[in-house]
């Protein structure tokens, strides 16, 4: 508005720039509230009147159309600002509800449980999303620390509902059931009451006690990555592939638990397929086992953050699927003393 006024004063009325003072309230309506827009519009009207009388535009037919255009743009800007503020308030309310839902569905995992140090990372494929179909939980039970990491088939609210059913059943069963297969059966029963059609949930359950081994029960989920202190890297794949949760009633044999050595200094990285199936520009999958050296940071959260940043860099843009990772470290004797 200042530039238009200066040009109008210097160049005179022949240039015809006076209606451009309406750009002030127009831009104010895009970035400010309705009061700011109205103030900009009032200022523009005052400038239009002053410059119009100064240049004698109201003696002819040019002054009134310029004033009406400024008033019209101001009115439209005020209405637009009011509507935008209402949408922003609704969006803020929805985000607040989503954050509460996330805290209920995916509660913060403990940083330490028994002899373990734990860190978790969740990267949503949708920038504004707070929750999705990936799930994780850590429960300290009389039998040891029990863990679940899973991925619900599909997207949207149905996936969130299925994830809530799985997590609710696991949280109860992890405290009550004597062994991992019983936990899996209880989660399976709860999920079968909820699911319809051919929907399913891939999941891996783990039980880590005071012994030298960790027990895993895999329902068609990607095998956890094991990293040894000496640098040895490998996947804790089950001896036989099993169907995901929700599909096991169609087979006669349930998944069989298997044990893997897990001693002080070892690390176990649980993840969903959004991690290993992330592609770069050439279509190559993310080589998780080749990036195991990123987990060498003494702080588990910093180590997991390095993997997440490397994953996003590998994808060179937003991920096409949710990616959850849960890192478990068996503390050494030195770390326990600290």
């Amino acid at each position: 508005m200042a530039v238009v006024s200066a040009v109008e004063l210097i160049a005179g009325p022949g240039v015809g720039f006076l209606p451009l003072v309406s750009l002030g309230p127009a831009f104010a309506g895009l970035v400010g509230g309705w009061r700011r827009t109205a103030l900009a519009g009032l200022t523009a009207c005052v400038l239009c009147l002053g410059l119009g009388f100064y240049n004698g535009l109201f003696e002819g037919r040019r002054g009134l159309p310029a004033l009406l255009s400024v008033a019209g743009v101001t009115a439209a800007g005020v209405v637009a600002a009011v509507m935008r503020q209402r949408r922003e308030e609704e969006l803020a309310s929805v985000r607040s509800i989503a954050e509460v839902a996330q805290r209920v569905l995916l509660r913060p995992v403990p940083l330490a449980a028994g002899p373990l140090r734990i860190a978790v990372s969740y990267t949503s494929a949708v920038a504004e999303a707070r929750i999705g179909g990936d799930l994780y939980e850590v429960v300290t039970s009389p039998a040891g620390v029990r863990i679940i990491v899973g991925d619900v088939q599909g997207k949207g609210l149905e996936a969130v509902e299925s994830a809530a059913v799985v997590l609710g059943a696991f949280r109860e069963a992890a405290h009550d059931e004597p062994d991992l297969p019983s936990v899996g059966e209880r989660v399976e029963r709860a999920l079968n009451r909820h699911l319809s059609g051919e929907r399913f949930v891939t999941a891996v359950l783990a039980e880590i006690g005071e012994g030298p081994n960790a027990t895993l029960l895999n329902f068609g989920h990607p095998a956890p990555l094991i990293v040894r202190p000496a640098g040895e890297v490998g996947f804790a794949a089950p001896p036989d592939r099993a169907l995901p949760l929700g599909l096991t009633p169609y087979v006669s044999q349930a998944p069989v638990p298997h044990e893997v050595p897990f001693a002080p200094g070892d690390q176990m990285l649980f993840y969903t397929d959004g991690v290993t199936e992330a592609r770069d520009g050439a279509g190559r999958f993310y080589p998780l086992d080749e990036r195991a050296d990123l987990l060498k940071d003494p702080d588990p959260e910093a180590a997991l953050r390095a993997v997440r940043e490397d994953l996003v860099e590998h994808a060179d843009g937003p991920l096409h699927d949710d990616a959850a990772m849960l890192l478990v470290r068996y503390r050494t004797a030195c770390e326990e003393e600290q």
Side-chain angles (χ1 to χ4, degrees):
M1 289 190 296
V3 171
V4 171
S5 300
V7 172
E8 191 72 15
L9 288 172
I10 295 172
V15 178
F17 276 8
L18 185 58
L20 293 180
V21 294
S22 61
L23 292 175
F27 282 109
L30 294 176
V31 298
W34 71 268
R35 292 182 177 85
R36 180 178 178 181
T37 305
L39 179 61
L42 178 61
T43 304
C45 289
V46 171
L47 289 174
C48 188
L49 284 172
L51 292 172
F53 282 115
Y54 176 78
N55 291 324
L57 296 180
F58 285 96
E59 296 177 0
R61 298 181 178 180
R62 296 174 55 188
L64 185 59
L67 181 61
L68 291 176
S69 66
V70 172
V73 171
T74 299
V78 170
V79 172
V82 171
M83 296 177 63
R84 178 176 53 79
Q85 284 183 307
R86 288 179 179 175
R87 288 195 297 268
E88 290 176 351
E89 291 173 357
E90 292 175 356
L91 179 59
S93 177
V94 170
R95 285 179 174 175
S96 177
I97 295 173
E99 289 173 356
V100 173
Q102 184 191 38
R103 287 196 293 269
V104 173
L105 180 62
L106 297 178
R107 300 182 302 193
V109 301
L111 299 180
L116 308 177
R117 297 181 65 190
I118 304 171
V120 68
S121 167
Y122 187 96
T123 304
S124 174
V126 182
E128 298 299 330
R130 295 293 190 270
I131 51 180
D134 288 1
L135 57 96
Y136 53 82
E137 183 60 287
V138 178
V139 175
T140 302
S141 72
V145 178
R146 287 176 170 171
I147 299 168
I148 185 172
V149 174
D151 186 1
V152 181
Q153 177 211 20
K155 304 287 184 182
L157 290 178
E158 290 185 356
V160 175
E161 291 174 359
S162 299
V165 170
V166 172
L167 288 173
F170 175 79
R171 287 163 182 161
E172 291 295 325
H175 286 286
D176 300 337
E177 300 298 337
D179 52 36
L180 214 53
S182 300
V183 176
E185 290 174 3
R186 190 160 163 184
V187 174
E188 178 74 53
R189 290 196 300 268
L191 190 59
N192 287 334
R193 290 193 296 266
H194 168 76
L195 293 180
S196 60
E198 297 181 353
R199 298 179 64 84
F200 58 85
V201 179
T202 67
V204 57
L205 282 67
E207 180 179 286
I208 305 174
E210 297 295 336
N213 296 324
T215 303
L216 301 178
L217 187 63
N218 197 313
F219 291 87
H221 195 78
L225 181 71
I226 303 292
V227 182
R228 309 292 182 190
E232 180 184 354
V233 179
F235 291 98
D240 297 307
R241 294 289 295 176
L243 291 178
L245 293 165
L247 299 181
T248 53
Y250 300 104
V251 296
S252 58
Q253 185 176 2
V256 178
H258 65 286
E259 293 186 347
V260 295
F262 196 62
D266 290 343
Q267 301 184 83
M268 188 180 303
L269 178 63
F270 300 85
Y271 56 92
T272 58
D273 58 8
V275 175
T276 51
E277 293 182 1
R279 298 174 182 262
D280 60 9
R284 293 185 295 265
F285 291 114
Y286 182 70
L288 181 61
D289 53 341
E290 298 177 9
R291 300 293 199 272
D293 60 319
L294 296 173
L295 298 174
K296 61 186 178 181
D297 194 295
D299 182 7
E301 293 187 357
L304 208 54
R305 190 183 310 117
V307 177
R308 181 177 67 246
E309 293 173 353
D310 186 67
L311 174 66
V312 174
E313 183 179 353
H314 174 84
D316 195 22
L319 300 179
H320 298 292
D321 194 6
D322 296 340
M325 294 182 288
L326 190 146
L327 178 63
V328 178
R329 281 185 177 177
Y330 202 124
R331 289 184 291 186
T332 62
C334 295
E335 290 175 329
E336 291 180 356
E337 291 176 359
Q338 293 176 357

